Amino acid sequence: MHEIGIVRQLLRTVTDFAAEHGVSRICEVVVDCGELSLVIPDYLRELYPVVVKGSILENAGLTIHMVPGLAECEDCDEIFNVIEHKGYCPNCGSFNKTVLSGKDFTIREILVPEEPE
Ligand SMILES: [Zn+2]
């Protein structure tokens, strides 16, 4: 289970971001979780409150966007969902493919509360 490392990395990135921008509060972190990244969203949700306890993210929400794992067939150029079709092209049955999306886990947005003027 490498999710704990991912949450720690997330916290580090957000802490650096906050220090750089002089931000003292964060309301929400939005992440893109690729279907093929092997990151399990349920584990993230479970670990997140534990890892961020006492940090700038303690009261910040975590929103996880799933990014579908799409691939292009190298034999017939069909674009298909890798998980849905278990890795095989639904058009020609080939296993040769180039993965186009869904391999990464990235931070999409860090939402900061609007400061009253
Ligand atoms: Zn194909």
Side-chain angles (χ1 to χ4, degrees):
M1 190 161 85
H2 61 304
E3 278 78 5
I4 191 142
I6 285 166
V7 180
R8 285 202 181 110
Q9 182 60 48
L10 173 83
L11 174 60
R12 212 169 302 139
T13 305
V14 174
T15 306
D16 289 349
F17 167 89
E20 235 171 77
H21 294 82
V23 168
S24 58
R25 277 178 58 213
I26 306 274
C27 33
E28 192 182 351
V29 180
V30 183
V31 297
D32 281 336
C33 181
E35 272 182 356
L36 307 174
S37 68
L38 304 178
V39 176
I40 300 165
D42 285 349
Y43 286 167
L44 286 184
R45 287 195 194 95
E46 210 171 290
L47 290 167
Y48 177 81
V50 180
V51 174
V52 304
K53 207 164 194 297
S55 79
I56 190 167
L57 283 179
E58 180 156 14
N59 297 308
L62 173 70
T63 301
I64 302 172
H65 274 277
M66 292 309 290
V67 178
L70 296 179
E72 183 173 9
C73 175
E74 283 177 18
D75 295 312
C76 75
D77 298 335
E78 175 90 357
I79 291 175
F80 60 98
N81 185 299
V82 178
I83 293 186
E84 237 168 73
H85 299 285
K86 301 188 168 63
Y88 291 92
C89 171
N91 189 46
C92 73
S94 170
F95 198 69
N96 299 318
K97 61 192 173 298
T98 307
V99 175
L100 305 173
S101 67
K103 273 196 293 195
D104 304 317
F105 179 86
T106 50
I107 298 176
R108 181 201 282 221
E109 268 182 296
I110 298 170
L111 304 176
V112 176
E114 281 183 36
E115 301 288 341
E117 293 288 323

